[in-house]
mmCIF file of all heavy atoms in Angstrom:
data_model
loop_
_atom_site.group_PDB
_atom_site.id
_atom_site.type_symbol
_atom_site.label_atom_id
_atom_site.label_comp_id
_atom_site.label_asym_id
_atom_site.label_seq_id
_atom_site.Cartn_x
_atom_site.Cartn_y
_atom_site.Cartn_z
ATOM 1 N N ARG F 26 5.090 43.944 -1.275
ATOM 2 C CA ARG F 26 3.681 44.122 -0.692
ATOM 3 C C ARG F 26 3.569 45.617 -0.361
ATOM 4 O O ARG F 26 4.513 46.244 0.097
ATOM 5 C CB ARG F 26 3.544 43.319 0.579
ATOM 6 C CG ARG F 26 3.345 41.916 0.382
ATOM 7 C CD ARG F 26 3.333 41.216 1.716
ATOM 8 N NE ARG F 26 3.262 39.818 1.626
ATOM 9 C CZ ARG F 26 2.184 39.155 1.340
ATOM 10 N NH1 ARG F 26 1.093 39.764 1.090
ATOM 11 N NH2 ARG F 26 2.203 37.750 1.117
ATOM 12 N N THR F 52 -4.350 22.820 25.457
ATOM 13 C CA THR F 52 -4.120 21.443 25.600
ATOM 14 C C THR F 52 -3.089 21.136 26.677
ATOM 15 O O THR F 52 -3.208 20.211 27.438
ATOM 16 C CB THR F 52 -3.649 20.799 24.274
ATOM 17 O OG1 THR F 52 -2.695 21.633 23.684
ATOM 18 C CG2 THR F 52 -4.813 20.708 23.234
ATOM 19 N N SER F 61 -1.088 14.270 38.673
ATOM 20 C CA SER F 61 -1.178 14.275 40.126
ATOM 21 C C SER F 61 -0.074 15.173 40.705
ATOM 22 O O SER F 61 0.968 15.263 40.052
ATOM 23 C CB SER F 61 -1.060 12.853 40.707
ATOM 24 O OG SER F 61 -0.488 12.907 42.001
ATOM 25 N N TYR F 67 3.667 7.907 35.205
ATOM 26 C CA TYR F 67 4.472 6.672 34.958
ATOM 27 C C TYR F 67 5.760 6.764 35.651
ATOM 28 O O TYR F 67 6.396 7.777 35.665
ATOM 29 C CB TYR F 67 4.635 6.537 33.427
ATOM 30 C CG TYR F 67 3.358 6.477 32.645
ATOM 31 C CD1 TYR F 67 2.929 7.564 31.835
ATOM 32 C CD2 TYR F 67 2.417 5.430 32.722
ATOM 33 C CE1 TYR F 67 1.746 7.561 31.107
ATOM 34 C CE2 TYR F 67 1.239 5.343 32.060
ATOM 35 C CZ TYR F 67 0.971 6.449 31.231
ATOM 36 O OH TYR F 67 -0.201 6.391 30.488
ATOM 37 N N LYS F 152 24.843 7.365 46.864
ATOM 38 C CA LYS F 152 23.410 7.435 47.186
ATOM 39 C C LYS F 152 22.593 6.679 46.251
ATOM 40 O O LYS F 152 23.004 6.489 45.083
ATOM 41 C CB LYS F 152 22.913 8.884 47.380
ATOM 42 C CG LYS F 152 22.812 9.650 45.987
ATOM 43 C CD LYS F 152 22.357 10.996 46.320
ATOM 44 C CE LYS F 152 22.113 11.749 44.949
ATOM 45 N NZ LYS F 152 23.191 11.970 44.133
ATOM 46 N N ARG F 155 16.449 8.774 44.195
ATOM 47 C CA ARG F 155 15.059 8.822 44.817
ATOM 48 C C ARG F 155 14.052 8.577 43.824
ATOM 49 O O ARG F 155 14.129 8.981 42.620
ATOM 50 C CB ARG F 155 14.953 10.262 45.323
ATOM 51 C CG ARG F 155 15.786 10.683 46.464
ATOM 52 C CD ARG F 155 15.317 11.911 47.062
ATOM 53 N NE ARG F 155 15.194 13.041 46.108
ATOM 54 C CZ ARG F 155 15.895 14.165 46.350
ATOM 55 N NH1 ARG F 155 16.518 14.435 47.428
ATOM 56 N NH2 ARG F 155 15.724 15.192 45.432
ATOM 57 N N ASP F 262 22.341 0.490 30.961
ATOM 58 C CA ASP F 262 22.444 1.580 31.903
ATOM 59 C C ASP F 262 23.463 1.197 33.041
ATOM 60 O O ASP F 262 23.111 0.295 33.801
ATOM 61 C CB ASP F 262 21.078 1.864 32.489
ATOM 62 C CG ASP F 262 21.059 3.134 33.341
ATOM 63 O OD1 ASP F 262 22.174 3.655 33.487
ATOM 64 O OD2 ASP F 262 19.963 3.539 33.775
ATOM 65 N N GLU M 876 4.289 13.215 32.131
ATOM 66 C CA GLU M 876 3.778 11.956 32.703
ATOM 67 C C GLU M 876 4.878 11.159 33.389
ATOM 68 O O GLU M 876 4.654 10.307 34.149
ATOM 69 C CB GLU M 876 2.969 11.145 31.741
ATOM 70 C CG GLU M 876 1.678 11.903 31.370
ATOM 71 C CD GLU M 876 0.696 11.109 30.522
ATOM 72 O OE1 GLU M 876 1.034 10.005 29.899
ATOM 73 O OE2 GLU M 876 -0.556 11.435 30.637
ATOM 74 N N ASP M 898 22.024 11.731 38.564
ATOM 75 C CA ASP M 898 21.036 11.957 39.623
ATOM 76 C C ASP M 898 20.192 13.156 39.320
ATOM 77 O O ASP M 898 19.988 13.993 40.164
ATOM 78 C CB ASP M 898 21.673 11.927 40.993
ATOM 79 C CG ASP M 898 22.765 12.912 41.100
ATOM 80 O OD1 ASP M 898 23.140 13.540 40.056
ATOM 81 O OD2 ASP M 898 23.332 13.135 42.158
ATOM 82 N N GLU M 900 17.386 15.535 38.925
ATOM 83 C CA GLU M 900 16.078 15.621 39.595
ATOM 84 C C GLU M 900 14.886 16.092 38.724
ATOM 85 O O GLU M 900 15.059 16.978 37.920
ATOM 86 C CB GLU M 900 16.187 16.498 40.842
ATOM 87 C CG GLU M 900 16.576 15.896 42.122
ATOM 88 C CD GLU M 900 16.474 16.804 43.232
ATOM 89 O OE1 GLU M 900 15.479 17.457 43.384
ATOM 90 O OE2 GLU M 900 17.382 16.806 44.062
ATOM 91 N N TYR M 903 9.152 16.103 40.542
ATOM 92 C CA TYR M 903 8.674 15.403 41.853
ATOM 93 C C TYR M 903 9.820 15.100 42.793
ATOM 94 O O TYR M 903 9.512 14.453 43.794
ATOM 95 C CB TYR M 903 7.974 14.085 41.393
ATOM 96 C CG TYR M 903 6.664 14.373 40.652
ATOM 97 C CD1 TYR M 903 6.638 14.387 39.269
ATOM 98 C CD2 TYR M 903 5.458 14.579 41.432
ATOM 99 C CE1 TYR M 903 5.450 14.531 38.614
ATOM 100 C CE2 TYR M 903 4.329 14.769 40.701
ATOM 101 C CZ TYR M 903 4.300 14.836 39.283
ATOM 102 O OH TYR M 903 3.135 15.038 38.633
ATOM 103 N N THR M 908 18.979 8.530 36.081
ATOM 104 C CA THR M 908 20.322 8.352 35.571
ATOM 105 C C THR M 908 20.265 8.849 34.113
ATOM 106 O O THR M 908 19.154 9.012 33.515
ATOM 107 C CB THR M 908 20.690 6.815 35.604
ATOM 108 O OG1 THR M 908 19.895 6.140 34.704
ATOM 109 C CG2 THR M 908 20.602 6.207 36.957
ATOM 110 N N TYR M 995 -4.947 18.496 16.989
ATOM 111 C CA TYR M 995 -4.206 19.235 15.949
ATOM 112 C C TYR M 995 -4.512 18.825 14.557
ATOM 113 O O TYR M 995 -4.617 19.569 13.591
ATOM 114 C CB TYR M 995 -2.674 19.172 16.215
ATOM 115 C CG TYR M 995 -2.336 19.872 17.534
ATOM 116 C CD1 TYR M 995 -2.350 19.039 18.670
ATOM 117 C CD2 TYR M 995 -2.234 21.234 17.607
ATOM 118 C CE1 TYR M 995 -2.056 19.691 19.866
ATOM 119 C CE2 TYR M 995 -2.066 21.747 18.884
ATOM 120 C CZ TYR M 995 -1.948 21.064 19.973
ATOM 121 O OH TYR M 995 -1.737 21.554 21.210
#
Side-chain angles (χ1 to χ4, degrees):
Chain F
R26 286 176 187 282
T52 47
S61 150
Y67 301 112
K152 66 178 187 299
R155 297 190 300 233
D262 190 350
Chain M
E876 292 191 338
D898 52 355
E900 268 187 46
Y903 294 91
T908 68
Y995 296 92

